[in-house]
Structure formats: structure tokens, C-alpha cells
Amino acid sequence: MPLYKGLGIGLGTDAHTIVLDLGEAYSKLGFAGEDQPRMVIPTTIETIDCATAIKFTSTIFQVVQSLTYSKTFFDKVFYKHLQVNPKLQRVIICESLLNPTKIREAVATVLFQHFEVPSIFFAPHHLLACFTIAVNTALVLDCSYRETLVIPVIENTPVLWGWQAAPLGAASIHHSIMDEILDKGKIQLEHNPATPVTQRLSDKVLEDIKVKACFVSEYERAKKIQSAKWSKEPIEEILQQKEMVYPLDGVTRLIIPSSIRENAAEVLFEQDNDQVSVATLVLDSLLNCPIDSRKELARNLLVTGGTSMLPGFRHRLLFELKELVQHEERYNSKLSECEFRVHNPPIHANLVGWLGASIFATLEAFQRKSITKEYFNQHNGKLPDWCATDITPPNEAILPPFKVKPRLSLPSAGTKRIKSESHHTKSES
Amino acid sequence: MASLLQVDRVQYVFDVDTQDSQSLSRLYFCIYCLGLRSSHNLLHEDDSHFCPQALDSLASAEAVSRKNKCSNSWRCPACLHTLSTRATSTISPPTTDSNKPTVKTVYYQSCTFCRWSTRSVGIDDKEVANDAWMEKENPSLPRINKLLEYYKYLEHKEKVEQARKSPIKKELMSVTMQLKQKYTSSKHSPGKKSMFGDSLSGALSSLRLKDVSSLKDVSIDASSTLALDDVEKLNTDVYKPVQFTAMTSTAQRLDQPGNQIIECSDLAPRRSQMFMKQSLRCKICDHNIIKPEYSPTSIKFKIHLIALNHIPDIRISKPSTLRAGERCQFVLSITNPTEHVIHATFLPMEETKHEINAKIELPTCDIVVGKFDDAAEFVDQLTSTNNTDDASIIAFRRGNKVGFYVHCTPDPALSPGDNVWVGMRFKHEHYGSAPLALLLKGGEVEKEPEPNWLTHSVFINLGKIQSSLE
């Protein structure tokens, strides 16, 4: 049986390309050309004491330690969940454009040297997301675990100078849930009287409370909540329940105020001291874009990332955008003509990047542009990147000099007309 | 179990260069190149896929196309445990044909772990035990297939246009055309069609790029966009009291990535995931280290070279309280798994990358460790005691296990709660491999095996520094 292996599944067939989207909280694993990932697993590895989270996207990153951790993690990915031999499969990794080079290189080192994969392709999340909605120009907002990142994509080219990011995401929602529980929550052990919560709850419990109970309230109501926060005036209750009981385990119960449900997600939309919220990120990003593309971008808003799946998120975002453009001086003068429309991708928001990678990996351009093991070794373990000027990406090295393409454009979706335009927009700004 | 036995306290170095270390119970021993191996530096090979519940077995290529899912076994969507099929009989009301009510056997699935069942969510009972259950498809599958088709078409169109423009490619194409004409026609004998020629030209024409005219146009509408008024508003249902037990957890939602179910009442049985039988191979000598039997019903191994069967196991036998800068006494034990008496010699650790923060005083003489004997536990303990042992070194002796004293002085700079790590090397003779390797190859066993001397580096976590008040 194993003797014949490798004959059928050659490198030429793209059906078994491994598609990975390594998120901060959850990793999506699957194969190219499929409509959904095979598995979505937490990006953690288990040790004897507890589940230790390994992070691919955080900036605090100890490379040495993470090499052992990522070996264990990818062991789990390839052998347990995907059940393939990584030596025979190409890999595409969907990542944020702001992912530190050290992390990409660490991941590439583990995959090439330890798992001996034939080739890897690192693709920007925001560009891949556009593949799922079949448009060339979109303003992509990724609201993930730790941060919200907005990058405009114009004619299949991520416009990096338009990026806007803020540490608003699932982590900040968990934080505000925890704060409110520490403030007002109580713990009850069997029939004993309830006592105030003194210890922090685990992230898992907070996440569970968030996905089961929390939602993003509508704009007008949210404004009342925000003003009540400062004036300490009580607001009228819509929620039909004062307190809710969350079962922590068989004997302990957590009694928490229902107001958590609508207050927790407010952290994404109330502007902080720098006047930054998820909505202002979108508008600030638009202001950085070329004037002639702004209307088009505003019409093609694409919201991705797991945190954006909270009920009411998209409605609130559009409402905020409308109100900000109407009433705030900094946007009113420049963006008043924009009409905001949000896309409806064919898959849940947390999987949009993965699906884009799955579509892209079926194309031949993916094979051409992939970084092979030989290329990686030739360049002493360095990867081509938009911020690295000393390495030429594999495809451009082969092309004759008169045919240099814009660096971040993937050629697959472009026709002749589109390409000439993309040069145009780039040179103008 | 693992934390009870504290197997991670003693780490054996398996990679001399990187000083990577792991517990002996997780390591393998290559009897051909006489070295410790970890799953990190062995070659993984997938042998077969199998379902532990239905005991199905599949070749890997087939398993990939079936998405690694078993066709006969189902698992619970709530707790991911295997579902068991339950049979029950129902009485259907009398029909016009017969006046008596008929008794029918119907089947439903239920989870023995969390008590979830298909009846609890209102899925009808089936009249067939298996196969009648369906998994939900991704509702947007047609749209995604359309997207895939569209992007393939775009790429193809672009390629054809490029080929038309570039003079180099045109030349190349004409060369292949010429070659094809030359070779296919010359082999063609008149009146008799050459199979070879036909198949070659067929292969070549499929390699050639199709003309734009022959390309089927694929057009796609960009996905719909929603303005503020179209976007789904917050449902007023959210203001109702929340039922934590009626909502699915994140793990349950992500279990079905295509349709992430929010309410528990929508859960449906899922096909259970298959597992993979892997064999491991030494990268240096290319011999198999672990090879399971193919049959899914068998849990045996054809080749099973785990380190615990070959290498003496060192454990902490009797801990003591550790204080910074104070000398203390420990009892370590060494267990000999082989059928030969071995002599273990302890050596100090040389330079290492591993963090070591205590000095260790090791026994200066050899320690003789008795051989492993299946019957040893039935023999009276007293008869096996050896009076020649130096009581200042040997703490106890029980069959193939010997306890010995070591002394350790943690660094004075350590503070309470810090882990104390010591390093040492030990040397022992190893007999088993040559005859075993010969046996595996089918040769004859030599009468007097020659021992090999093996040296291992070991790191031991002796415990945490106690505060001086205790």
C-alpha cells in the first residue's frame, strides 16, 4: 500500500495543496479548492499542566521557544487533523501584511527544515479576501482577536499606505467583560450565599459568555449607553432580565448583570482618547487613498474576522460610518459623497481569508510564485517581503527586466485593462 | 497518569547538536545506529487511515478524497463523542390493509456521554440503521464553485493573451508543433494506426494552450453589497433572557465551519473523523523504528522500538527539600529493561546550552543493575538482596531496579519557587541490538553478544526551591 504512494499525488495536482490560516486565536486548516476548511482549531498546544497558547501574530515572540512549540503545533496540524504527509504537499499560508518578518521566517524554517514541505506561499489576508467576492477593489476590514486592521485593495493591489490598525478585537471585548464581572459579578457555590468575584476568569469562559450572550447594540441606544457611562444616570432597560446565571461547572454558578451583553462590544465603537474606533479606522483609511478610488472603495466594504460575527456588527458599523461622515468635521469635508455598502461574502466572516486562499491556490500563478525549498536555502533562510528590498520574489527573478510587475499584485485576477489601470493609480499617488 | 509518574522531570538528550531533550517515555531507540530518536527527528510515513469505531480501513489517497471521514460512524455534534445507534420499536396506527397495529423497528442516534440524541432535536427516526443520516452541505457551495471556475478562466485567458503577445513563446510552441509532426508522422505506417502516435499527439495537444475562441466564456457577478437599510438589523429576540445551555459554544460552532450553528436545537450528527496509522523511519539509517499492523482491528506493531525497552530509565525515587545553597540528599533510581546485567557509570555534564543551576555529586563507582526478569516479582525479595553493596551509595536494590544516593547543592542565588535543574551523563553497556537486529533481518543469533557502550546526557528537574520558613 505505501509503496505506491507519491505516484498519484504528485506536485502537479493542486487538489491537495494545504491551505492554512493561522489566526491568533483559531487556525483554519484545509485543502485548496474546497468550499470550507476541514478543521478550525484553537492555535494552542497542550502541555501536561495546561493548554499553552502559541502565537503566530503577536509581536512579543521568542523565536527559540516557539520553534519547539510550532513543531508540536504543526505535528498536530498535519498528522492529526489534515492527515497528510507534508513532504508531498505545497502549502499556502494566509497572513496579515503586518505580520513580523521574524515570525514568517520562523514558520518557514520549521516547515522547510523540519517538515520538508516542497514550497510555501505567504499570501496577504486582505487581498485573498477579495477573491471570495469577485471584485478587484474593496476596502477590507479584518476584526480579529487582538486587533482590527483595515487595508484598501485597489485593482488587486493592497494599498499599504492606506493601512489603519487599532488594538480593538476579541481580546478587548473579553477584557471589558472581565472588568464588568469583577465590578458587579458574583459567584455562588451550591446554596451558599453569593460572593464577589475576586479572581480573573479564564479566557475560555469569557469567550463563551461573549459568543452566547453578547451583541452589538444599535446606534441610538449605544449613544445613550455611552453617555450614561459618564453621567452615571440609569438608562431604560430593554433587556428582559436583570441578571443572568452562567454555569461555571457542576456546582459553581456565576451571576452576572445582563448589561454586559450590550456593553461589552461597545469598546469597539466608542472612540478612545485618540478618537479611534473601528469606524474611524475605515474612514481614516479612505482618506489615505487616492481621491478617484474613494467612492468605489466605500461602495465595496468587506468585513472579515471572527469578531465581526457578533450580531448587529455590520449594521452598527454602517450606521457609525454614516453618522461620522455627516457630523464629524474631519470626514465631512472629504467623504460626504461616499455611499457605504457592505459585501455579503459566501462564507462566514471568520473564514473569508481561508476561502480566498483556497481559491487562489487552485491557480497556476500560485505554483509559480511559491517559495521553494531551494530558493529558501539559497537566500539563507530569508523570505521576500514587501518591506525587504534585497530579495527578489521567485517569479520576478525569472521574468525579463522589461516586464516587472507591481510587487504585491497577484496576476491571476487581472485582465489587460485592469493592469494598465493599476499602474495608473499607483503612479498618480 | 503522566503527571502522576512525573515522567517529564527527567529529560534525555536525543539531539547532540541542539541539545533537545525529552522524557524517555516519549523517545524511540534506533537499534541500528544506536541512538535515541524523537518523533521530531524521525521520518513520518502514513500507512493507512482507519476508523476506530467502525473498524474501516482506507488507503490514504481514498481517505483524502473522502475528507478523512468514516462513512459508517457518526459523532455527537455537542461533545464530539461517538454516537451509538439505538433501535426501538414503535407501533404505527392500523392502516386500511390490516386492522392490527404494526410494530416497526426504528433507529435513532444517541450519545452515551452527554445524552444528546437525534430525538432531542426533533430529527425523525430512521427505518434503516445506517446510511439514512445526512450531513448538511455548505449552503453557498454553488457560488464558491462558480468563483473557482471564474478565476481559473481568468488565468487561462490571461495566459493565452500573453502567449499571443510574446514572440519567444510562439517560437517554442512552433518547435513543439514541429517535433510532434516530425515524430508522430514518421512512426505512422500507412494503413495501420499507431497507438503510440495517437496517444502522444493527444498528450501534446492537451499540453498546448487552447485558443481564446475555443474558451468558454465564464462571467461572474460580483457578490451583492448591502446598504445600511439592507443589512440585517439586530433581531429583537436578542433582548429576551439568554439561555446559556441552549446556545452552542465556539467549539461546537467551529466543528461545522460551513454552517456555524448558533442554537443547540439545530445540531445534527456529524460523520466521525478517521485516524491515521503512521510509521516512523530513522533519517540516518532508513530503518523502520515504529511500524503498526495495517489491519484496523489490530493494535499491535510489527516493529516497535521504543526507548523504554532498551535504555535504563532514571527516575527521582525519593525527593528532598531544596533550599538555595544548602547541600541535600536525593535517591535516584535506575531501572534496567534489558535481559543483561549492566554496569552504569555516572559522569559530570560537560558544557551545555540547557540551564543548569545546581551542583550534583554523583556516585564515583559503577552501579551494577540486575537484569529484567519476568518472574522476579514472584521471587521472595530477601533472596535477591546483595550484601556486597556499599550502603553509602546504594539505597535499595529490587530486581532490575537500583536506588542510589546523590547529593545536590542548588545555587545560592536561587529564590523560592525556582526550578532546580541538574545535568549528568551516564554510560552503560548495551547488548540487545545486535541479535535483535539480526533476528529482524532473518539471520542467526550469535552466541556471545559484544556489548556496545552508550553514553546519554540527562537533565533532571529536582523540584522547586522551598522557602526557608517552612
Side-chain angles (χ1 to χ4, degrees), chain A residues 217-227 266 316:
Chain A
S217 40
E218 281 180 48
Y219 183 80
E220 279 104 8
R221 181 159 172 78
K223 282 287 155 221
K224 277 184 208 157
I225 296 172
Q226 282 177 19
S227 60
E266 283 311 304
R316 175 72 184 277

Side-chain angles (χ1 to χ4, degrees), chain A residues 1-2 5 9 14 16 26 33-40 48 68 71-72 75 78-85 87 113-114 116 130-135 207-209 211-213 215-218 221 238-241 244-247 256 261-262 299-300 309 311-312 314-315 318-319 322 339-348 350-351 355 358-359 362-366 368 403 405 411-416 419, chain B residues 2-3 7-8 20 26 39-41 43-49 57-61 63-69 75 136-138 140-141 143-145 147-148 150-152 154-155 157-159 161-162 165-166 168 220-234 236-245 247-251 253-260 262 270 273-276 278 283 291 294:
Chain A
M1 219 170 346
K5 196 146 351 92
I9 314 163
D14 49 24
H16 301 294
Y26 288 96
E34 290 184 1
D35 61 311
Q36 52 179 299
R38 291 275 176 92
M39 288 275 171
V40 182
I48 287 175
T68 0
K71 272 180 200 170
T72 319
D75 254 347
F78 292 131
Y79 301 128
K80 186 178 166 202
H81 293 301
L82 294 178
Q83 304 183 358
V84 287
N85 193 345
K87 281 173 87 176
Q113 291 179 356
H114 187 66
E116 298 178 7
C130 295
F131 279 80
T132 60
I133 49 170
V135 294
E207 187 195 65
D208 205 41
I209 294 174
V211 297
K212 286 180 177 170
F215 59 88
V216 183
S217 40
E218 281 180 48
R221 181 159 172 78
I238 300 184
L239 298 168
Q240 294 173 7
Q241 191 186 18
M244 25 183 209
V245 178
Y246 178 84
I256 40 181
R261 297 183 59 200
E262 49 180 358
R299 266 200 306 274
N300 291 291
M309 288 166 72
R314 294 199 299 180
H315 188 267
L318 283 183
F319 213 111
K322 193 187 95 186
E339 183 213 3
F340 290 95
R341 294 181 78 89
V342 65
H343 267 281
N344 220 2
I347 197 159
H348 293 273
N350 57 345
L351 307 174
L355 181 65
S358 165
I359 293 172
T362 57
L363 306 176
E364 276 172 42
F366 156 69
R368 265 204 323 273
K403 254 193 177 177
K405 289 179 182 175
S412 43
T415 56
K416 197 176 122 199
K419 262 197 191 132
Chain B
S3 60
V7 287
D8 283 330
D20 284 345
R26 296 179 211 283
S39 67
H40 285 329
N41 62 4
L43 216 57
H44 291 249
E45 287 171 353
D46 42 338
D47 281 353
S48 63
H49 293 252
S57 173
L58 281 180
S60 1
V64 167
S65 61
R66 286 208 205 164
K67 302 200 169 185
N68 297 336
K69 281 180 182 164
R75 71 187 157 83
K136 266 190 202 161
E137 243 186 18
N138 189 350
S140 48
L141 185 65
R143 167 77 184 170
I144 292 168
N145 283 336
L147 282 167
L148 284 165
Y150 171 69
Y151 280 107
K152 277 213 168 124
L154 261 195
E155 180 176 54
K157 197 167 129 191
E158 199 181 42
K159 225 163 69 182
E161 271 172 18
Q162 253 184 16
K165 273 193 285 178
S166 124
I168 312 161
I220 193 163
D221 304 322
S223 78
S224 56
T225 54
L226 310 169
L228 181 58
D229 301 332
D230 314 330
V231 175
E232 73 282 7
K233 265 193 175 174
L234 207 56
T236 45
D237 284 355
V238 297
Y239 300 121
K240 285 183 185 160
V242 62
Q243 292 286 326
F244 279 108
T245 45
M247 309 281 278
T248 54
S249 69
T250 327
R253 288 178 200 197
L254 296 177
D255 183 43
Q256 314 189 37
N259 5 271
Q260 296 173 21
I262 290 173
R270 303 267 293 147
Q273 189 80 12
M274 296 189 107
F275 286 84
M276 190 160 76
Q278 270 182 321
K283 277 183 183 170
K291 192 156 185 65
Y294 285 127

Side-chain angles (χ1 to χ4, degrees), chain B residues 136-248:
Chain B
K136 266 190 202 161
E137 243 186 18
N138 189 350
S140 48
L141 185 65
R143 167 77 184 170
I144 292 168
N145 283 336
K146 182 92 186 165
L147 282 167
L148 284 165
E149 194 189 351
Y150 171 69
Y151 280 107
K152 277 213 168 124
Y153 157 77
L154 261 195
E155 180 176 54
H156 202 105
K157 197 167 129 191
E158 199 181 42
K159 225 163 69 182
V160 171
E161 271 172 18
Q162 253 184 16
R164 200 194 277 155
K165 273 193 285 178
S166 124
I168 312 161
K169 279 199 177 156
K170 243 182 195 171
E171 254 169 51
L172 273 174
M173 266 177 70
S174 61
V175 168
T176 50
M177 288 290 285
Q178 283 167 14
L179 278 174
K180 180 192 134 195
Q181 280 168 1
K182 192 175 169 189
Y183 287 106
T184 51
S185 56
S186 66
K187 294 237 165 144
H188 238 133
S189 51
K192 190 183 171 190
K193 276 201 175 173
S194 142
M195 290 294 284
F196 174 70
D198 273 356
S199 64
L200 184 66
S201 68
L204 272 175
S205 64
S206 70
L207 277 177
R208 239 181 333 123
L209 295 168
K210 281 180 203 152
D211 284 336
V212 191
S213 52
S214 70
L215 251 170
K216 200 179 79 181
D217 259 346
V218 181
S219 62
I220 193 163
D221 304 322
S223 78
S224 56
T225 54
L226 310 169
L228 181 58
D229 301 332
D230 314 330
V231 175
E232 73 282 7
K233 265 193 175 174
L234 207 56
N235 197 331
T236 45
D237 284 355
V238 297
Y239 300 121
K240 285 183 185 160
V242 62
Q243 292 286 326
F244 279 108
T245 45
M247 309 281 278
T248 54

